[in-house]
Amino acid sequence: MTLVWEQVMVDSADPETLGRWWAEALGWVVVNDAPDEFEIRPAPDRRPGLLFTTVPESKTVKNRLHLDFRPDDQKAEVARLLALGARHADVGQGEQPYRSAARRSNIRWAEAGAVPRDAVP
């Protein structure tokens, strides 16, 4: 393959704070903590990572990308992330087997809970 997925870029007013929160939430490591960008990865030599960069403007429209996660225990994981400072987010999902949440910066993600992990191809 000629392409390698390096990272997902995340615009932020405070890259370090947001990056450290995601590092703790995912159990990832910090690989770059420069003043204008903050990068985390699953392990120092594993990709893709998340690269948080500084932008001066605030968010004005809906995110065009969100992250989906599949925890072993959805209820426990949602409680853990809420304890880290996340909040429930109503994104119009209605009655679905997943929960949407957001971080202070309005980066949203969903956690699936109805499909067993080994049922996903």
Side-chain angles (χ1 to χ4, degrees):
M1 175 175 13
T2 59
L3 294 175
V4 175
W5 182 6
E6 177 75 16
Q7 60 213 0
V8 173
M9 305 281 296
V10 180
D11 293 346
S12 174
D14 185 354
E16 181 178 359
T17 299
L18 187 59
R20 286 196 187 283
W21 187 88
W22 276 101
E24 186 172 353
L26 296 172
W28 287 14
V29 297
V30 176
V31 295
N32 180 12
D33 62 355
D36 58 341
E37 61 182 34
F38 193 91
E39 184 178 1
I40 64 172
R41 294 183 188 167
D45 59 343
R46 285 193 50 214
R47 292 177 179 84
L50 292 173
L51 178 64
F52 302 87
T53 59
T54 303
V55 294
E57 67 276 358
S58 62
K59 179 180 168 182
T60 58
V61 297
K62 177 183 173 186
N63 292 339
R64 295 185 181 260
L65 173 77
H66 73 264
L67 305 174
D68 284 341
F69 297 97
R70 187 172 309 280
D72 290 327
D73 182 340
Q74 181 193 45
K75 186 175 180 178
E77 190 61 17
V78 168
R80 183 181 77 84
L81 294 173
L82 291 173
L84 289 176
R87 61 180 168 75
H88 289 287
D90 182 358
V91 293
Q93 69 268 23
E95 292 297 320
Q96 297 294 324
Y98 61 84
R99 300 292 174 259
S100 291
R103 178 68 181 115
R104 282 183 292 201
S105 61
N106 285 324
I107 293 180
R108 292 191 172 95
W109 69 91
E111 292 201 13
V115 180
R117 181 181 302 241
D118 58 359
V120 179

